Amino acid sequence: MRLALELLDPEDRKVIVLRTWHDLTFAEIGRRLERPENTVRVRFNRAMPKLARKVEDLRQGRLQKA
């Protein structure tokens, strides 16, 4: 999982980590990253499938940079 996260775009990684590991709300993440709450929510919703694909790529032996 950590390697898959490292392969994501840094902004995607920040949003995922702050939401899932630090359990921050989208509003809190937005304030921290100086982004609108809705922008953060959309980024998270788009980043999660990217993370799932990276995990699957790693399981299949396919390494690709974001």
Short mmCIF file of all heavy atoms in Angstrom, two decimals:
data_model
loop_
_atom_site.label_atom_id
_atom_site.label_comp_id
_atom_site.label_asym_id
_atom_site.label_seq_id
_atom_site.Cartn_x
_atom_site.Cartn_y
_atom_site.Cartn_z
N MET A 1 0.82 -1.19 0.00
CA MET A 1 0.00 0.00 0.00
C MET A 1 0.87 1.25 0.00
O MET A 1 0.61 2.18 -0.74
CB MET A 1 -0.92 -0.03 1.22
CG MET A 1 -1.84 1.16 1.29
SD MET A 1 -3.06 1.30 0.00
CE MET A 1 -4.18 0.05 0.52
N ARG A 2 1.89 1.25 0.83
CA ARG A 2 2.74 2.44 0.91
C ARG A 2 3.42 2.73 -0.42
O ARG A 2 3.50 3.87 -0.85
CB ARG A 2 3.79 2.27 2.02
CG ARG A 2 4.58 3.55 2.23
CD ARG A 2 5.39 3.53 3.51
NE ARG A 2 4.60 3.61 4.71
CZ ARG A 2 4.10 4.73 5.23
NH1 ARG A 2 4.27 5.86 4.60
NH2 ARG A 2 3.42 4.72 6.35
N LEU A 3 3.90 1.69 -1.10
CA LEU A 3 4.55 1.89 -2.40
C LEU A 3 3.53 2.42 -3.41
O LEU A 3 3.83 3.34 -4.16
CB LEU A 3 5.17 0.59 -2.90
CG LEU A 3 5.84 0.67 -4.27
CD1 LEU A 3 6.90 1.76 -4.32
CD2 LEU A 3 6.44 -0.68 -4.63
N ALA A 4 2.33 1.87 -3.40
CA ALA A 4 1.29 2.35 -4.32
C ALA A 4 1.01 3.83 -4.05
O ALA A 4 0.86 4.62 -4.99
CB ALA A 4 0.03 1.52 -4.16
N LEU A 5 0.95 4.22 -2.79
CA LEU A 5 0.75 5.64 -2.45
C LEU A 5 1.89 6.50 -2.99
O LEU A 5 1.65 7.60 -3.50
CB LEU A 5 0.66 5.83 -0.94
CG LEU A 5 -0.70 5.68 -0.32
CD1 LEU A 5 -0.59 5.66 1.20
CD2 LEU A 5 -1.64 6.78 -0.77
N GLU A 6 3.11 6.02 -2.86
CA GLU A 6 4.26 6.79 -3.34
C GLU A 6 4.24 6.98 -4.84
O GLU A 6 4.82 7.95 -5.35
CB GLU A 6 5.57 6.10 -2.92
CG GLU A 6 5.85 6.17 -1.44
CD GLU A 6 6.01 7.59 -0.92
OE1 GLU A 6 6.62 8.42 -1.62
OE2 GLU A 6 5.49 7.87 0.17
N LEU A 7 3.57 6.09 -5.55
CA LEU A 7 3.51 6.19 -7.01
C LEU A 7 2.42 7.15 -7.50
O LEU A 7 2.34 7.45 -8.68
CB LEU A 7 3.28 4.80 -7.62
CG LEU A 7 4.44 3.82 -7.42
CD1 LEU A 7 4.03 2.44 -7.88
CD2 LEU A 7 5.68 4.30 -8.15
N LEU A 8 1.59 7.62 -6.58
CA LEU A 8 0.53 8.58 -6.95
C LEU A 8 1.08 10.00 -7.03
O LEU A 8 2.14 10.32 -6.49
CB LEU A 8 -0.58 8.56 -5.90
CG LEU A 8 -1.47 7.34 -5.84
CD1 LEU A 8 -2.46 7.48 -4.69
CD2 LEU A 8 -2.21 7.13 -7.15
N ASP A 9 0.31 10.86 -7.67
CA ASP A 9 0.57 12.29 -7.68
C ASP A 9 0.64 12.77 -6.22
O ASP A 9 -0.17 12.34 -5.38
CB ASP A 9 -0.58 12.97 -8.42
CG ASP A 9 -0.47 14.46 -8.39
OD1 ASP A 9 0.18 15.02 -9.27
OD2 ASP A 9 -1.07 15.07 -7.47
N PRO A 10 1.59 13.63 -5.90
CA PRO A 10 1.73 14.08 -4.51
C PRO A 10 0.46 14.69 -3.91
O PRO A 10 0.17 14.46 -2.73
CB PRO A 10 2.85 15.13 -4.58
CG PRO A 10 3.64 14.76 -5.79
CD PRO A 10 2.64 14.18 -6.76
N GLU A 11 -0.31 15.44 -4.68
CA GLU A 11 -1.55 16.02 -4.15
C GLU A 11 -2.57 14.93 -3.84
O GLU A 11 -3.26 15.00 -2.83
CB GLU A 11 -2.13 17.05 -5.13
CG GLU A 11 -1.36 18.34 -5.18
CD GLU A 11 -1.46 19.15 -3.89
OE1 GLU A 11 -2.56 19.28 -3.34
OE2 GLU A 11 -0.41 19.64 -3.45
N ASP A 12 -2.67 13.93 -4.71
CA ASP A 12 -3.57 12.81 -4.45
C ASP A 12 -3.16 12.10 -3.17
O ASP A 12 -3.99 11.77 -2.32
CB ASP A 12 -3.56 11.81 -5.60
CG ASP A 12 -4.25 12.32 -6.86
OD1 ASP A 12 -4.98 13.33 -6.78
OD2 ASP A 12 -4.06 11.71 -7.92
N ARG A 13 -1.87 11.88 -3.03
CA ARG A 13 -1.33 11.19 -1.85
C ARG A 13 -1.66 11.96 -0.57
O ARG A 13 -2.14 11.37 0.41
CB ARG A 13 0.18 11.01 -2.01
CG ARG A 13 0.82 10.27 -0.87
CD ARG A 13 2.29 9.92 -1.13
NE ARG A 13 3.08 11.03 -1.60
CZ ARG A 13 3.61 11.12 -2.84
NH1 ARG A 13 3.42 10.19 -3.74
NH2 ARG A 13 4.34 12.17 -3.17
N LYS A 14 -1.46 13.27 -0.59
CA LYS A 14 -1.75 14.08 0.60
C LYS A 14 -3.21 13.96 1.02
O LYS A 14 -3.51 13.77 2.20
CB LYS A 14 -1.44 15.56 0.33
CG LYS A 14 0.01 15.90 0.27
CD LYS A 14 0.16 17.37 -0.07
CE LYS A 14 1.56 17.70 -0.49
NZ LYS A 14 1.69 19.08 -0.95
N VAL A 15 -4.10 14.07 0.06
CA VAL A 15 -5.53 14.02 0.36
C VAL A 15 -5.90 12.64 0.93
O VAL A 15 -6.62 12.55 1.92
CB VAL A 15 -6.37 14.37 -0.88
CG1 VAL A 15 -7.84 14.09 -0.64
CG2 VAL A 15 -6.16 15.82 -1.26
N ILE A 16 -5.41 11.59 0.32
CA ILE A 16 -5.73 10.24 0.80
C ILE A 16 -5.20 10.04 2.21
O ILE A 16 -5.91 9.54 3.09
CB ILE A 16 -5.17 9.17 -0.15
CG1 ILE A 16 -5.96 9.17 -1.46
CG2 ILE A 16 -5.22 7.78 0.50
CD1 ILE A 16 -5.38 8.26 -2.53
N VAL A 17 -3.96 10.42 2.45
CA VAL A 17 -3.35 10.23 3.78
C VAL A 17 -4.10 11.04 4.83
O VAL A 17 -4.42 10.52 5.91
CB VAL A 17 -1.85 10.58 3.75
CG1 VAL A 17 -1.28 10.68 5.16
CG2 VAL A 17 -1.09 9.55 2.93
N LEU A 18 -4.39 12.29 4.54
CA LEU A 18 -5.08 13.12 5.52
C LEU A 18 -6.49 12.61 5.81
O LEU A 18 -6.95 12.66 6.95
CB LEU A 18 -5.13 14.58 5.05
CG LEU A 18 -3.78 15.29 5.03
CD1 LEU A 18 -3.92 16.66 4.34
CD2 LEU A 18 -3.21 15.44 6.42
N ARG A 19 -7.15 12.08 4.80
CA ARG A 19 -8.52 11.59 4.99
C ARG A 19 -8.55 10.22 5.66
O ARG A 19 -9.30 10.01 6.61
CB ARG A 19 -9.22 11.52 3.63
CG ARG A 19 -10.63 11.02 3.68
CD ARG A 19 -11.55 12.05 4.27
NE ARG A 19 -12.91 11.54 4.20
CZ ARG A 19 -13.85 11.86 5.06
NH1 ARG A 19 -13.61 12.71 6.02
NH2 ARG A 19 -15.04 11.36 4.94
N THR A 20 -7.74 9.30 5.19
CA THR A 20 -7.84 7.92 5.68
C THR A 20 -6.99 7.65 6.91
O THR A 20 -7.43 6.92 7.79
CB THR A 20 -7.51 6.91 4.58
OG1 THR A 20 -6.20 7.13 4.10
CG2 THR A 20 -8.50 6.99 3.43
N TRP A 21 -5.80 8.20 6.99
CA TRP A 21 -4.93 7.92 8.13
C TRP A 21 -5.12 8.92 9.27
O TRP A 21 -5.01 8.56 10.42
CB TRP A 21 -3.46 7.89 7.70
CG TRP A 21 -3.05 6.54 7.21
CD1 TRP A 21 -2.55 5.52 7.96
CD2 TRP A 21 -3.10 6.06 5.86
NE1 TRP A 21 -2.30 4.44 7.16
CE2 TRP A 21 -2.62 4.74 5.87
CE3 TRP A 21 -3.52 6.61 4.66
CZ2 TRP A 21 -2.55 3.96 4.72
CZ3 TRP A 21 -3.44 5.85 3.52
CH2 TRP A 21 -2.96 4.54 3.56
N HIS A 22 -5.38 10.17 8.91
CA HIS A 22 -5.53 11.19 9.95
C HIS A 22 -7.00 11.50 10.25
O HIS A 22 -7.29 12.29 11.14
CB HIS A 22 -4.78 12.47 9.55
CG HIS A 22 -3.31 12.26 9.44
ND1 HIS A 22 -2.48 12.23 10.53
CD2 HIS A 22 -2.51 12.04 8.36
CE1 HIS A 22 -1.23 12.01 10.13
NE2 HIS A 22 -1.23 11.89 8.81
N ASP A 23 -7.89 10.90 9.46
CA ASP A 23 -9.33 11.00 9.68
C ASP A 23 -9.84 12.44 9.71
O ASP A 23 -10.73 12.79 10.49
CB ASP A 23 -9.73 10.27 10.97
CG ASP A 23 -11.19 9.87 10.98
OD1 ASP A 23 -11.75 9.63 9.90
OD2 ASP A 23 -11.78 9.84 12.08
N LEU A 24 -9.25 13.29 8.86
CA LEU A 24 -9.70 14.67 8.77
C LEU A 24 -10.91 14.77 7.85
O LEU A 24 -11.08 13.97 6.93
CB LEU A 24 -8.59 15.57 8.23
CG LEU A 24 -7.32 15.68 9.06
CD1 LEU A 24 -6.32 16.62 8.37
CD2 LEU A 24 -7.61 16.16 10.46
N THR A 25 -11.75 15.76 8.09
CA THR A 25 -12.88 16.01 7.19
C THR A 25 -12.35 16.69 5.93
O THR A 25 -11.23 17.21 5.91
CB THR A 25 -13.92 16.92 7.86
OG1 THR A 25 -13.33 18.21 8.04
CG2 THR A 25 -14.40 16.35 9.18
N PHE A 26 -13.19 16.70 4.91
CA PHE A 26 -12.79 17.39 3.68
C PHE A 26 -12.60 18.88 3.93
O PHE A 26 -11.70 19.49 3.35
CB PHE A 26 -13.80 17.14 2.57
CG PHE A 26 -13.82 15.71 2.09
CD1 PHE A 26 -14.96 14.94 2.20
CD2 PHE A 26 -12.70 15.13 1.53
CE1 PHE A 26 -14.99 13.62 1.77
CE2 PHE A 26 -12.69 13.82 1.10
CZ PHE A 26 -13.85 13.06 1.22
N ALA A 27 -13.40 19.45 4.80
CA ALA A 27 -13.23 20.87 5.15
C ALA A 27 -11.88 21.11 5.81
O ALA A 27 -11.18 22.08 5.48
CB ALA A 27 -14.36 21.33 6.06
N GLU A 28 -11.50 20.24 6.73
CA GLU A 28 -10.21 20.38 7.42
C GLU A 28 -9.05 20.21 6.44
O GLU A 28 -8.06 20.96 6.50
CB GLU A 28 -10.09 19.35 8.54
CG GLU A 28 -11.02 19.60 9.69
CD GLU A 28 -11.10 18.43 10.67
OE1 GLU A 28 -11.04 17.26 10.24
OE2 GLU A 28 -11.23 18.71 11.87
N ILE A 29 -9.17 19.25 5.55
CA ILE A 29 -8.12 19.03 4.55
C ILE A 29 -8.01 20.25 3.64
O ILE A 29 -6.92 20.71 3.33
CB ILE A 29 -8.39 17.75 3.73
CG1 ILE A 29 -8.35 16.52 4.64
CG2 ILE A 29 -7.37 17.61 2.59
CD1 ILE A 29 -8.91 15.26 3.99
N GLY A 30 -9.16 20.77 3.22
CA GLY A 30 -9.17 21.96 2.37
C GLY A 30 -8.46 23.13 3.02
O GLY A 30 -7.67 23.82 2.38
N ARG A 31 -8.75 23.35 4.31
CA ARG A 31 -8.07 24.44 5.01
C ARG A 31 -6.57 24.20 5.07
O ARG A 31 -5.77 25.11 4.85
CB ARG A 31 -8.65 24.60 6.42
CG ARG A 31 -9.99 25.30 6.44
CD ARG A 31 -10.40 25.71 7.83
NE ARG A 31 -10.61 24.58 8.72
CZ ARG A 31 -11.74 23.87 8.81
NH1 ARG A 31 -12.77 24.18 8.06
NH2 ARG A 31 -11.84 22.87 9.67
N ARG A 32 -6.19 22.98 5.37
CA ARG A 32 -4.77 22.65 5.49
C ARG A 32 -4.04 22.81 4.16
O ARG A 32 -2.90 23.28 4.13
CB ARG A 32 -4.62 21.22 6.01
CG ARG A 32 -3.19 20.88 6.36
CD ARG A 32 -3.07 19.54 6.99
NE ARG A 32 -3.51 19.61 8.38
CZ ARG A 32 -3.25 18.68 9.28
NH1 ARG A 32 -2.57 17.60 8.93
NH2 ARG A 32 -3.67 18.80 10.51
N LEU A 33 -4.68 22.41 3.07
CA LEU A 33 -4.04 22.47 1.75
C LEU A 33 -4.37 23.75 0.98
O LEU A 33 -3.94 23.91 -0.16
CB LEU A 33 -4.45 21.25 0.92
CG LEU A 33 -4.07 19.88 1.48
CD1 LEU A 33 -4.54 18.78 0.55
CD2 LEU A 33 -2.56 19.78 1.71
N GLU A 34 -5.17 24.62 1.62
CA GLU A 34 -5.60 25.87 1.00
C GLU A 34 -6.31 25.62 -0.33
O GLU A 34 -6.01 26.24 -1.35
CB GLU A 34 -4.41 26.82 0.83
CG GLU A 34 -3.77 27.20 2.15
CD GLU A 34 -2.58 28.11 2.01
OE1 GLU A 34 -2.10 28.32 0.88
OE2 GLU A 34 -2.14 28.63 3.05
N ARG A 35 -7.28 24.71 -0.26
CA ARG A 35 -8.10 24.35 -1.42
C ARG A 35 -9.55 24.34 -0.97
O ARG A 35 -9.85 24.07 0.19
CB ARG A 35 -7.75 22.94 -1.94
CG ARG A 35 -6.32 22.73 -2.38
CD ARG A 35 -6.11 23.27 -3.78
NE ARG A 35 -4.80 22.94 -4.29
CZ ARG A 35 -3.73 23.69 -4.14
NH1 ARG A 35 -3.78 24.80 -3.46
NH2 ARG A 35 -2.58 23.35 -4.66
N PRO A 36 -10.48 24.61 -1.90
CA PRO A 36 -11.90 24.51 -1.53
C PRO A 36 -12.27 23.08 -1.10
O PRO A 36 -11.71 22.10 -1.62
CB PRO A 36 -12.63 24.88 -2.82
CG PRO A 36 -11.63 25.65 -3.63
CD PRO A 36 -10.30 25.07 -3.27
N GLU A 37 -13.19 22.99 -0.17
CA GLU A 37 -13.63 21.68 0.34
C GLU A 37 -14.07 20.76 -0.79
O GLU A 37 -13.71 19.58 -0.82
CB GLU A 37 -14.77 21.88 1.33
CG GLU A 37 -15.33 20.60 1.89
CD GLU A 37 -16.47 20.84 2.85
OE1 GLU A 37 -16.69 21.98 3.29
OE2 GLU A 37 -17.15 19.84 3.18
N ASN A 38 -14.87 21.28 -1.72
CA ASN A 38 -15.36 20.44 -2.81
C ASN A 38 -14.23 19.95 -3.71
O ASN A 38 -14.26 18.81 -4.19
CB ASN A 38 -16.42 21.16 -3.63
CG ASN A 38 -17.20 20.21 -4.49
OD1 ASN A 38 -17.71 19.20 -3.99
ND2 ASN A 38 -17.27 20.49 -5.77
N THR A 39 -13.23 20.77 -3.92
CA THR A 39 -12.07 20.35 -4.72
C THR A 39 -11.37 19.17 -4.07
O THR A 39 -10.98 18.21 -4.74
CB THR A 39 -11.08 21.53 -4.89
OG1 THR A 39 -11.75 22.59 -5.57
CG2 THR A 39 -9.83 21.13 -5.65
N VAL A 40 -11.22 19.25 -2.75
CA VAL A 40 -10.57 18.17 -2.00
C VAL A 40 -11.41 16.90 -2.10
O VAL A 40 -10.88 15.81 -2.30
CB VAL A 40 -10.36 18.59 -0.53
CG1 VAL A 40 -9.89 17.43 0.31
CG2 VAL A 40 -9.38 19.75 -0.45
N ARG A 41 -12.72 17.03 -1.97
CA ARG A 41 -13.61 15.87 -2.04
C ARG A 41 -13.51 15.19 -3.41
O ARG A 41 -13.39 13.96 -3.51
CB ARG A 41 -15.05 16.29 -1.78
CG ARG A 41 -16.04 15.14 -1.81
CD ARG A 41 -17.47 15.57 -1.53
NE ARG A 41 -17.61 15.78 -0.09
CZ ARG A 41 -17.74 16.98 0.49
NH1 ARG A 41 -17.78 18.08 -0.24
NH2 ARG A 41 -17.86 17.08 1.79
N VAL A 42 -13.54 15.99 -4.46
CA VAL A 42 -13.44 15.45 -5.82
C VAL A 42 -12.09 14.78 -6.02
O VAL A 42 -12.00 13.69 -6.58
CB VAL A 42 -13.69 16.55 -6.88
CG1 VAL A 42 -13.33 16.08 -8.27
CG2 VAL A 42 -15.14 17.01 -6.82
N ARG A 43 -11.02 15.42 -5.55
CA ARG A 43 -9.68 14.83 -5.70
C ARG A 43 -9.62 13.48 -5.00
O ARG A 43 -9.09 12.51 -5.53
CB ARG A 43 -8.60 15.76 -5.17
CG ARG A 43 -7.19 15.19 -5.39
CD ARG A 43 -6.10 16.16 -5.03
NE ARG A 43 -5.83 17.13 -6.04
CZ ARG A 43 -5.05 16.91 -7.11
NH1 ARG A 43 -4.50 15.76 -7.31
NH2 ARG A 43 -4.84 17.88 -7.97
N PHE A 44 -10.16 13.40 -3.79
CA PHE A 44 -10.17 12.14 -3.04
C PHE A 44 -10.95 11.07 -3.81
O PHE A 44 -10.46 9.94 -3.97
CB PHE A 44 -10.80 12.35 -1.66
CG PHE A 44 -10.89 11.10 -0.85
CD1 PHE A 44 -9.78 10.64 -0.15
CD2 PHE A 44 -12.07 10.39 -0.77
CE1 PHE A 44 -9.86 9.48 0.61
CE2 PHE A 44 -12.16 9.23 -0.02
CZ PHE A 44 -11.04 8.78 0.67
N ASN A 45 -12.12 11.44 -4.31
CA ASN A 45 -12.95 10.47 -5.03
C ASN A 45 -12.32 10.00 -6.33
O ASN A 45 -12.58 8.88 -6.78
CB ASN A 45 -14.34 11.04 -5.29
CG ASN A 45 -15.15 11.12 -4.01
OD1 ASN A 45 -14.96 10.33 -3.09
ND2 ASN A 45 -16.03 12.10 -3.93
N ARG A 46 -11.48 10.81 -6.92
CA ARG A 46 -10.76 10.40 -8.14
C ARG A 46 -9.47 9.65 -7.79
O ARG A 46 -9.03 8.78 -8.55
CB ARG A 46 -10.43 11.62 -8.99
CG ARG A 46 -11.65 12.23 -9.63
CD ARG A 46 -11.31 13.44 -10.44
NE ARG A 46 -12.51 14.00 -11.06
CZ ARG A 46 -12.56 15.17 -11.64
NH1 ARG A 46 -11.48 15.94 -11.70
NH2 ARG A 46 -13.69 15.60 -12.17
N ALA A 47 -8.87 10.00 -6.67
CA ALA A 47 -7.59 9.40 -6.29
C ALA A 47 -7.73 7.96 -5.79
O ALA A 47 -6.84 7.14 -6.00
CB ALA A 47 -6.89 10.25 -5.23
N MET A 48 -8.83 7.66 -5.13
CA MET A 48 -9.00 6.31 -4.58
C MET A 48 -8.98 5.21 -5.66
O MET A 48 -8.28 4.21 -5.49
CB MET A 48 -10.25 6.22 -3.72
CG MET A 48 -10.13 6.99 -2.42
SD MET A 48 -8.73 6.46 -1.39
CE MET A 48 -9.34 4.88 -0.85
N PRO A 49 -9.69 5.38 -6.78
CA PRO A 49 -9.57 4.36 -7.84
C PRO A 49 -8.16 4.29 -8.43
O PRO A 49 -7.69 3.21 -8.80
CB PRO A 49 -10.58 4.81 -8.90
CG PRO A 49 -11.54 5.68 -8.18
CD PRO A 49 -10.75 6.34 -7.09
N LYS A 50 -7.47 5.44 -8.49
CA LYS A 50 -6.08 5.43 -8.97
C LYS A 50 -5.22 4.60 -8.04
O LYS A 50 -4.36 3.83 -8.49
CB LYS A 50 -5.52 6.86 -9.04
CG LYS A 50 -6.13 7.73 -10.10
CD LYS A 50 -5.53 9.12 -10.03
CE LYS A 50 -6.24 10.12 -10.89
NZ LYS A 50 -5.68 11.48 -10.73
N LEU A 51 -5.44 4.76 -6.73
CA LEU A 51 -4.69 3.99 -5.75
C LEU A 51 -4.98 2.50 -5.92
O LEU A 51 -4.06 1.67 -5.91
CB LEU A 51 -5.02 4.45 -4.34
CG LEU A 51 -4.35 3.68 -3.20
CD1 LEU A 51 -2.83 3.76 -3.30
CD2 LEU A 51 -4.84 4.21 -1.86
N ALA A 52 -6.24 2.15 -6.10
CA ALA A 52 -6.61 0.75 -6.29
C ALA A 52 -5.92 0.17 -7.53
O ALA A 52 -5.44 -0.98 -7.50
CB ALA A 52 -8.13 0.62 -6.41
N ARG A 53 -5.86 0.96 -8.61
CA ARG A 53 -5.17 0.49 -9.82
C ARG A 53 -3.68 0.30 -9.58
O ARG A 53 -3.09 -0.67 -10.07
CB ARG A 53 -5.40 1.46 -10.98
CG ARG A 53 -6.78 1.33 -11.60
CD ARG A 53 -6.91 2.09 -12.91
NE ARG A 53 -6.68 3.52 -12.80
CZ ARG A 53 -7.62 4.41 -12.45
NH1 ARG A 53 -8.84 4.01 -12.18
NH2 ARG A 53 -7.32 5.69 -12.38
N LYS A 54 -3.07 1.22 -8.81
CA LYS A 54 -1.64 1.08 -8.51
C LYS A 54 -1.39 -0.18 -7.69
O LYS A 54 -0.43 -0.90 -7.94
CB LYS A 54 -1.12 2.31 -7.74
CG LYS A 54 -1.08 3.57 -8.54
CD LYS A 54 -0.07 3.47 -9.65
CE LYS A 54 -0.03 4.77 -10.42
NZ LYS A 54 0.78 4.67 -11.63
N VAL A 55 -2.25 -0.44 -6.71
CA VAL A 55 -2.10 -1.65 -5.91
C VAL A 55 -2.20 -2.88 -6.80
O VAL A 55 -1.38 -3.80 -6.71
CB VAL A 55 -3.15 -1.70 -4.77
CG1 VAL A 55 -3.18 -3.07 -4.11
CG2 VAL A 55 -2.87 -0.62 -3.73
N GLU A 56 -3.19 -2.89 -7.69
CA GLU A 56 -3.35 -4.03 -8.60
C GLU A 56 -2.16 -4.16 -9.54
O GLU A 56 -1.68 -5.27 -9.79
CB GLU A 56 -4.65 -3.90 -9.39
CG GLU A 56 -4.96 -5.10 -10.25
CD GLU A 56 -5.05 -6.41 -9.48
OE1 GLU A 56 -5.43 -6.40 -8.30
OE2 GLU A 56 -4.74 -7.47 -10.07
N ASP A 57 -1.67 -3.04 -10.06
CA ASP A 57 -0.48 -3.08 -10.92
C ASP A 57 0.70 -3.69 -10.19
O ASP A 57 1.44 -4.51 -10.75
CB ASP A 57 -0.11 -1.68 -11.41
CG ASP A 57 -1.04 -1.16 -12.49
OD1 ASP A 57 -1.82 -1.95 -13.06
OD2 ASP A 57 -0.97 0.06 -12.77
N LEU A 58 0.89 -3.31 -8.95
CA LEU A 58 1.99 -3.86 -8.15
C LEU A 58 1.80 -5.35 -7.92
O LEU A 58 2.75 -6.14 -8.01
CB LEU A 58 2.11 -3.13 -6.82
CG LEU A 58 2.64 -1.70 -6.93
CD1 LEU A 58 2.45 -0.96 -5.63
CD2 LEU A 58 4.11 -1.70 -7.34
N ARG A 59 0.59 -5.77 -7.66
CA ARG A 59 0.31 -7.21 -7.46
C ARG A 59 0.59 -8.01 -8.73
O ARG A 59 1.00 -9.16 -8.66
CB ARG A 59 -1.15 -7.42 -7.05
CG ARG A 59 -1.41 -7.03 -5.64
CD ARG A 59 -2.82 -7.34 -5.25
NE ARG A 59 -3.04 -6.93 -3.88
CZ ARG A 59 -4.22 -6.77 -3.32
NH1 ARG A 59 -5.31 -6.99 -4.04
NH2 ARG A 59 -4.34 -6.40 -2.08
N GLN A 60 0.33 -7.38 -9.88
CA GLN A 60 0.54 -8.04 -11.16
C GLN A 60 1.97 -7.89 -11.68
O GLN A 60 2.29 -8.39 -12.76
CB GLN A 60 -0.44 -7.49 -12.20
CG GLN A 60 -1.89 -7.72 -11.88
CD GLN A 60 -2.26 -9.18 -11.90
OE1 GLN A 60 -1.76 -9.94 -12.75
NE2 GLN A 60 -3.10 -9.60 -10.99
N GLY A 61 2.80 -7.16 -10.93
CA GLY A 61 4.18 -6.98 -11.34
C GLY A 61 4.37 -5.86 -12.34
O GLY A 61 5.41 -5.79 -13.01
N ARG A 62 3.38 -4.98 -12.47
CA ARG A 62 3.49 -3.86 -13.39
C ARG A 62 3.72 -2.59 -12.57
O ARG A 62 2.83 -2.13 -11.86
CB ARG A 62 2.21 -3.71 -14.20
CG ARG A 62 1.89 -4.90 -15.06
CD ARG A 62 0.62 -4.67 -15.87
NE ARG A 62 -0.51 -4.29 -15.06
CZ ARG A 62 -1.54 -5.11 -14.79
NH1 ARG A 62 -1.55 -6.33 -15.23
NH2 ARG A 62 -2.55 -4.68 -14.05
N LEU A 63 4.89 -2.03 -12.69
CA LEU A 63 5.21 -0.78 -11.98
C LEU A 63 5.16 0.37 -12.96
O LEU A 63 5.81 0.35 -13.99
CB LEU A 63 6.62 -0.84 -11.41
CG LEU A 63 6.78 -1.46 -10.04
CD1 LEU A 63 8.25 -1.51 -9.66
CD2 LEU A 63 6.01 -0.69 -9.00
N GLN A 64 4.38 1.40 -12.62
CA GLN A 64 4.31 2.59 -13.47
C GLN A 64 4.21 3.80 -12.59
O GLN A 64 3.47 3.82 -11.61
CB GLN A 64 3.09 2.54 -14.38
CG GLN A 64 3.14 1.42 -15.38
CD GLN A 64 1.89 1.39 -16.24
OE1 GLN A 64 0.87 1.97 -15.90
NE2 GLN A 64 1.97 0.72 -17.37
N LYS A 65 4.93 4.83 -12.92
CA LYS A 65 4.85 6.12 -12.23
C LYS A 65 3.58 6.83 -12.65
O LYS A 65 3.16 6.73 -13.78
CB LYS A 65 6.09 6.95 -12.57
CG LYS A 65 6.17 8.25 -11.84
CD LYS A 65 6.86 8.10 -10.53
CE LYS A 65 7.06 9.49 -9.93
NZ LYS A 65 7.01 9.50 -8.52
N ALA A 66 2.97 7.56 -11.69
CA ALA A 66 1.73 8.32 -11.97
C ALA A 66 1.98 9.20 -13.13
O ALA A 66 1.55 9.46 -14.06
CB ALA A 66 1.32 9.15 -10.77
#
